Amino acid sequence: MLACLCTVLWHLPAVPALNRTGDLGPGPSIQKTYDLTRYLEHQLRSLAGTYLNYLGPPFNEPDFNPPRLGAETLPRATVDLEVWRSLNDKLRLTQNYEAYSHLLCYLRGLNRQAATAELRRSLAHFCTSLQGLLGSIAGVMAALGYPLPQPLPGTEPTWTPGPAHSDFLQKMDDFWLLKELQTWLWRSAKDFNRLKKKMQPPAAAVTVHLGAHGF
Amino acid sequence: MALSEVFQTTFFLTLLSLRTYQSEVLAEHLPLTPVSLNVSSNSAHQSLHLQWTVQNLLYHQELKMVFQIQISRIETSNVIWVGNYSTTVKWNQVLHWSWESELPLECATHFVRIKSAVDDARFHEPNFWSNWSSWEEVNVQDSLGQDILFVFPKDKLVEEGANVTICYVSRNIQNNVSCYWEGKQIYGEQLDPHVSVFHLSSVPFIRKTGADVYCEVSQGSVSKGIKGIVLFVSKVLEEPKDFSCETQDFKTLHCTWDPGVDTALGWSKQPSQSYTLFESFSGEKKLCTHKNWCNWQITQDSQETYNLTLIAENYLRKRSVNILFNLTHRVYPMNPFSVNFENVNATNAKMTWKVHSMKKDFTYLCQIELYGEGKMMQYNVSIKVNGEYFLSELEPATEYMAQVRCADASHFRKWSQWSGQNFTTLEAAPSEAPDVWRNVNSEPGSHIVTLFWKPLSKWHAKGKILFYNVVVENLDKLSRPELHSVPAPAKITKLTLDQRSYRIWVTASNSVGTSPASVIVISADPENQEVEEERIADTEGGFSLSWKPQPGDVVGYVVDWCDHPQYTLCDLQWKNVGPNATSTVISTDAFRPGVRYNFRIYGLSTKRIACLLEKKTGYSQELAPSDNPHVLVDKLTSHSFTLSWKYYSTESQPGFIQGYHVYLKSKARQCHPRFEKAILSDGSECCKYKIDNPEEKALIVDNLKPKSFYEFFVTPFTSAGEGPNATFTKVTTPDEHSSMLIYILLPMFFCFLLIMIVCYLKSQWIKETCYPDIPDPYKSSILSLIKFKEKPHLTIMNVSDCIPDAIEVVSKPEGTKIQFRKSLTETELTKPNYLYLLPTEKNYSGPGPFICFENLTYNQAASDSGSCGHVPVPLKLPPSQLGLMISPENVQKALEKNYMNSLGEISAGETSLNYVSQLALPMSGDKDSLPTNPVEPPHCSEYKRQMAVPLCLASPSPTENTSLSSITLLNPGEHYH
């Protein structure tokens, strides 16, 4: 996993957009965010396998796909395609930012109750990476001039281990947390790729622009 | 007054008896009924909690009562449990009792009722049960909520092996519910249309995060939801094993145990089992923070006996072990420290150490172990605080390791850990003379003495040997002894001594002193090598050697041999044997199979002179010969041939050669006499002849058939077998008649040779008889005179200068004898060839008529120059030779010398046909210019006829070079080149 991150970071300077000097606009940070999203997707595949095995059957069964009962507080990544396309960049980025803020909090709760040290290490590593993604999204939003969403008082997600929540439901929540995280990362990768393409100035326009300067 | 006291007493007694009677009557006649029965449920523990009071109890009355409780499920008539509960009941007391249900309470409605009876010994009357209380209903389902499915019990914690009952409550009976346990569907029994029950028996431990039981609600094929529980199965808490406590300082008790399996479960369902120490005499308790050890502080010096209980506990079980001990019997001392050695010399040392202070009057028993020289010595000593021990009988120059451990001398329980240190004793002088042997090689005028000695053992060296001293003393001549100092670790030195007697002392020295000397005497007489060598065989344990005792006084015998006789450095070994012994066994791991070992046995006289007594040779194990002899076949006749292998070395074989096997194959089925039939390894048959003498290295194979094919193979054999397999050599006997032909042809050849010799010796006579000489007119002196006058400047005619244009037939005498020159192929092409027909008169010295053919036609250089081949080239001779050739005499001489042999004799007068060149002959009388003038290459001329010309026309022209031709005498076939 570390090797993968190193590879991604090594190739980051190779991205042409990132090698530009001066005011480069949001392009480099979007690319960086996209790369980090893809890396987190890869990292999550390994982590989810380990964690679901830790939970045991039926959660580690490949065809286990329960209807979503409980876990209502998790931000849903699934959204209608038309609705999704109709969203503007600001709204999309805001949704991403809010979703990962929530997911990160739940993930930290997951880390606290993990029984094995190895699992705790993996979860902590993933949390750190996810924290980095949040920072990247914030950077993109800042570059595009969008304000960061402010959490409403009282809506701060908290992880509450409680007897009120049955252990089975807790396991189910963990299952859904990982599933939502996977879907969100997939969706974010699409979002950032779309944004990246959108932010790339067309080559012809650059030429005309330079020509105008020449005259 | 007294009357009043009596009255009062009587009144009280009456009152008391009345009271007692009243209570008895009440107990007997007023039913003590349980009332106010209240039943509550605890879902987490799956238990019903009952509380009630007993009616009709008197104030402060205590009665032993028994309560019978009935529990029904679903309906009152379905009693699932009946049991009694006995207790002492007080007035106005609220009684509590719990019952745990194996079925989750949410799965069914439960009903409880109770009745009671007095069970007190003070009542002799038979007990009467009260009436049953009314049924109390417990229905938890109503409080579940509106979900479509519920699974119970929620997240239950059980021990491994427990039986668990699980149920689900489905709100809609139309829904299809499937339940799974660890991924496998389970099937249960239906309690009612909404409730089903599953029994899991003897559940195993699966994982710390619990095993999931879940049920899926579906309508048709549409899943409506999943509900489940986590069944946490804990491992059974084990009793701590090997619980023991000990002290090292009388301040702390260190208790240890083996905790067994960890019963911790994930999700904080159950932590690891806890351990608690409890001491019953003091009543103190301590919760241990480690799972396998705990320290108990000793606070009271006076307490000697301890009763410690270790309690292991988890949510499901409690286990404990107990030990009772006297503190003084549980002492495990700390390691000794400051181990040192004082006054270390070659054989002694004093060892000192310290121990930690304990209680007053505490005595340690200490054990010392001394390791050195592969041995271990053990000593015990009792000490208080500081320990010391005198180590004696040590070996000099030896490294020792000494270690010490201690225990309680009064109540031995356990040794402490070892504390140790190394030390080395000092050196001492070597105690024994080195074992010396010698090898003497006699050379003319000197003895080359090689001295060998074995390194002193560590036992005798008593230190590091630095060098060996070799002192050589001449016994025949008074002279100062010579000292040779050989640095260790050399084991050999070579001395060149003259042929006198010498005494040699060898000593070994270390840093402290010198060993006793080993003496050996080299006799002036050469060593007796004429001792017959005897063959010996190896026995199981080695070579067993025996010898005849040496006459006279001997101080011992020495047997020497080489461990590796096949190498130049053969590693000489020797063994000293006592003077009374006449045999010994030489045994060493160095002996290898197939190697010949030579043993020499010497007797050592009292003068320390070694005398060679016997020689033995043998193999530790004989092997089959490693190679076969190279066999030569000679004296091949039609009936016999001889096989010989005289160069085959029998000494270098890996066994004593006992003889040879000669295998012979032939087409004949019968073997020859002396041969016997044998089967080869490939299964083929052949004849075999055995030669028992290893030195007999030839065999005549006779009685063979002429012109027959035979194959033979010779292989030596030892006691271990024959030599390697090899191919047979083929021999074919010659035809019988061919020899007869030789007998006829040889005499004929000799006869012919004889005739030829006779002919040669009588050739002059034969010539004169058969072919008398014909007189040669040209050799007539008259003719010479005439010609001399006509042509005073007779020169050598160059035939090439002749241009034949006509043929003139002069005469054709019979008996013309012309000897042709050598063929062109026989001539030397690199030089111009001159052919001269010279006068026969040997004494002719002046210019005279003769014919000279200069053959320039076949000049290699000319042909190479691009001309067409008939190009005469200038005569190129070395100047010296050229100068000689200028004068006619010299020319003639040279020509005679060089060419006469090839030409033979030819007479000008005998020429019957003269060929005349058709070209004009440039005439020149300048004989000097002929061989020296260069000749220009002609133009291309394919062919020039060559003709014989009369001598009168044969006049060379050295200046004419434009058209040259040659005159030669040609064979019919020699026209073209």
Side-chain angles (χ1 to χ4, degrees), chain B residues 709-721:
Chain B
F709 179 72
Y710 293 94
E711 288 179 280
F712 69 86
F713 168 53
V714 179
T715 181
F717 64 90
T718 65
S719 63

Side-chain angles (χ1 to χ4, degrees), chain B residues 856-857 859-873 935-942 944 977:
Chain B
L856 298 173
T857 307
N859 185 284
Q860 185 66 41
S863 69
D864 287 347
S865 68
S867 299
C868 294
H870 303 288
V871 181
V873 295
V935 179
E936 289 296 321
H939 294 294
C940 185
S941 176
E942 289 295 328
K944 289 175 184 172
H977 55 84

Side-chain angles (χ1 to χ4, degrees), chain A residues 16-204:
Chain A
L18 297 177
N19 286 336
R20 292 176 190 163
T21 54
D23 185 15
L24 300 172
S29 53
I30 294 170
Q31 177 66 44
K32 189 178 163 188
T33 311
Y34 171 76
D35 290 336
L36 190 54
T37 310
R38 298 307 303 269
Y39 167 64
L40 276 166
E41 271 188 288
H42 167 79
Q43 203 180 352
L44 181 65
R45 271 197 289 277
S46 167
L47 174 69
T50 311
Y51 194 83
L52 294 179
N53 276 334
Y54 167 72
L55 294 184
F59 303 101
N60 62 349
E61 289 168 359
D63 53 349
F64 181 64
N65 189 21
R68 186 164 165 166
L69 302 171
E72 297 301 329
T73 52
L74 286 174
R76 284 177 182 267
T78 46
V79 63
D80 183 68
L81 188 65
E82 289 304 320
V83 175
W84 182 55
R85 281 182 178 169
S86 67
L87 296 177
N88 59 28
D89 295 335
K90 180 186 174 186
L91 212 51
R92 272 201 203 99
L93 285 169
T94 305
Q95 281 196 2
N96 270 287
Y97 187 85
E98 285 176 343
Y100 288 121
S101 300
H102 282 72
L103 290 168
L104 181 62
C105 179
Y106 289 120
L107 208 58
R108 282 178 175 150
L110 210 68
N111 190 14
R112 277 192 286 270
Q113 60 184 343
T116 66
E118 177 63 33
L119 197 57
R120 276 200 295 273
R121 264 197 299 277
S122 298
L123 280 165
H125 181 62
F126 187 82
C127 284
T128 310
S129 303
L130 199 61
Q131 182 72 56
L133 179 64
L134 260 178
S136 287
I137 297 171
V140 171
M141 290 180 76
L144 293 173
Y146 303 144
L148 282 181
Q150 296 298 319
L152 293 172
T155 58
E156 185 71 22
T158 51
W159 180 82
T160 49
H165 214 50
S166 84
D167 291 327
F168 187 79
L169 281 180
Q170 184 64 53
K171 283 189 177 184
M172 194 73 100
D173 283 356
D174 293 351
F175 173 83
W176 278 112
L177 172 61
L178 295 172
K179 201 167 177 78
E180 283 298 341
L181 204 50
Q182 197 173 32
T183 320
W184 267 110
L185 285 169
W186 177 83
R187 181 178 160 183
S188 297
K190 284 256 184 199
D191 284 348
F192 296 129
N193 195 36
R194 188 189 177 112
L195 194 61
K196 187 175 67 175
K197 285 180 182 169
K198 191 175 174 183
M199 288 298 154
Q200 272 181 346

Side-chain angles (χ1 to χ4, degrees), chain B residues 726-751:
Chain B
T727 54
F728 279 67
T729 307
K730 299 171 178 60
V731 176
T732 305
T733 51
D735 191 1
E736 196 172 12
H737 302 293
S738 61
S739 58
M740 291 180 68
L741 279 174
I742 289 170
Y743 294 140
I744 296 167
L745 286 176
L746 268 177
M748 285 178 69
F749 174 74
F750 283 114
C751 287

Side-chain angles (χ1 to χ4, degrees), chain B residues 874-929:
Chain B
L875 177 64
K876 289 179 181 173
L877 288 172
S880 57
Q881 197 177 341
L882 196 63
L884 289 172
M885 293 280 285
I886 290 170
S887 66
E889 295 83 2
N890 292 341
V891 169
Q892 185 171 349
K893 281 180 184 175
L895 292 173
E896 280 178 33
K897 186 179 179 183
N898 292 326
Y899 304 109
M900 276 301 286
N901 292 338
S902 61
L903 290 175
E905 295 174 5
I906 186 164
S907 170
E910 290 169 6
T911 307
S912 60
L913 183 64
N914 290 337
Y915 296 94
V916 179
S917 172
Q918 290 177 343
L919 298 174
L921 266 175
M923 302 300 288
S924 173
D926 189 1
K927 63 182 180 184
D928 294 339
S929 62

